[in-house]
Amino acid sequence: DTAVSQTPKYLVTQMGNDKSIKCEQNLGHDTMYWYKQDSKKFLKIMFSYNNKELIINETVPNRFSPKSPDKAHLNLHINSLELGDSAVYFCASSQASRGGRNEQFFGPGTRLTVL
Amino acid sequence: GDSVTQMEGPVTLSEEAFLTINCTYTATGYPSLFWYVQYPGEGLQLLLKATKADDKGSNKGFEATYRKETTSFHLEKGSVQVSDSAVYFCALRNSGGSNYKLTFGKGTLLTVNP
């Protein structure tokens, strides 16, 4: 069974469209994340939810809106897509703890291409 | 803020060569340190980790030691294989508050030739 799954794996769309990427984890973790990996492979945190509560919101355009309907899901909705949004988006999850020692498990990524 | 600096790639080695990928960090407090690996077309997998000073993480022949005095966590492997070809990311996770995010280095592409 896949621990962290994302759909779709590939997403090609036109500028100005609105799209969503879904993420689900079956590990029983209480914290989920979205990371963006640019064309140079640089990875940066976008959002994090702990028990459905937003705890990290980095400097991300407000066209990006995460939604966590329950602890096992964290979806990413993007409005008015721009060329610069083209990237690979990774979802991850972990069990929160003091000291931040717990491993984050990553999904396979969603490659978004905006034309 | 927290930051991770790792050696620029790409790194190209022959099979059975010795590998070192340097990683240094800047952080307040006592971060945990990680190496993640990303094989072509796949997501990230944890390779190894260390949670306190002088800890050594090891997995699949890779090792890294948490050196607080030099703020480093260099990745080493004595004899690389073609199957080790991937992008390697050094990362830290700080212990402050409820912020559990990983801060990544820029990644190092390793190519191992037969």
Side-chain angles (χ1 to χ4, degrees):
Chain A
D1 269 348
T2 304
V4 182
S5 59
Q6 296 177 225
T7 53
K9 191 169 171 65
Y10 300 96
L11 183 53
V12 181
T13 188
Q14 300 287 331
M15 273 176 54
N17 284 349
D18 303 338
K19 290 293 178 186
S20 291
I21 307 172
K22 296 186 176 182
C23 178
E24 176 181 1
Q25 54 95 4
N26 63 7
L27 298 167
H29 290 161
D30 60 4
T31 306
M32 296 184 72
Y33 312 79
W34 276 109
Y35 289 86
K36 179 180 179 180
Q37 185 176 46
D38 64 22
S39 58
K40 295 184 179 177
K41 299 287 189 183
F42 185 56
L43 270 158
K44 192 165 165 40
I45 184 77
M46 299 173 69
F47 301 103
S48 176
Y49 271 72
N50 175 255
N51 283 316
K52 301 198 301 173
E53 181 185 345
L54 181 66
I55 57 170
I56 296 174
N57 185 354
E58 295 288 296
T59 308
V60 176
N62 58 14
R63 298 181 295 103
F64 289 79
S65 53
K67 283 191 171 48
S68 181
D70 55 58
K71 284 197 311 182
H73 295 85
L74 181 62
N75 303 323
L76 183 64
H77 189 76
I78 316 170
N79 288 328
S80 303
L81 279 155
E82 300 178 358
L83 293 176
D85 298 332
S86 296
V88 181
Y89 293 84
F90 286 100
C91 178
S93 75
S94 71
Q95 185 61 29
S97 66
R98 283 196 174 276
R101 293 175 174 79
N102 286 345
E103 174 186 353
Q104 289 185 20
F105 290 80
F106 283 76
T110 296
R111 181 175 293 277
L112 171 65
T113 303
V114 182
L115 304 174
Chain B
D2 298 342
S3 67
V4 175
T5 303
Q6 61 180 104
M7 84 191 243
E8 298 265 342
V11 174
T12 302
L13 296 173
S14 298
E15 210 164 18
E16 299 183 4
F18 184 84
L19 169 71
T20 300
I21 301 178
N22 289 340
C23 172
T24 57
Y25 67 90
T26 302
T28 56
Y30 303 95
S32 296
L33 301 175
F34 305 83
W35 277 99
Y36 278 83
V37 58
Q38 185 179 25
Y39 297 103
E42 297 184 13
L44 279 80
Q45 301 173 28
L46 179 67
L47 181 60
L48 53 85
K49 68 179 181 182
T51 59
K52 60 184 189 298
D54 300 326
D55 266 4
K56 179 187 279 189
S58 61
N59 185 25
K60 299 181 182 180
F62 291 88
E63 290 183 341
T65 301
Y66 189 147
R67 302 277 187 211
K68 193 166 173 61
E69 64 276 13
T70 53
T71 61
S72 65
F73 193 54
H74 305 321
L75 182 69
E76 296 183 337
K77 185 173 186 182
S79 176
V80 293
Q81 306 300 312
V82 172
S83 57
D84 294 327
S85 298
V87 181
Y88 292 82
F89 293 92
C90 185
L92 72 82
R93 188 166 166 182
N94 218 326
S95 57
S98 61
N99 186 337
Y100 303 112
K101 70 176 183 180
L102 283 167
T103 299
F104 285 92
K106 291 190 174 182
T108 303
L109 173 63
L110 169 67
T111 302
V112 180
N113 294 319

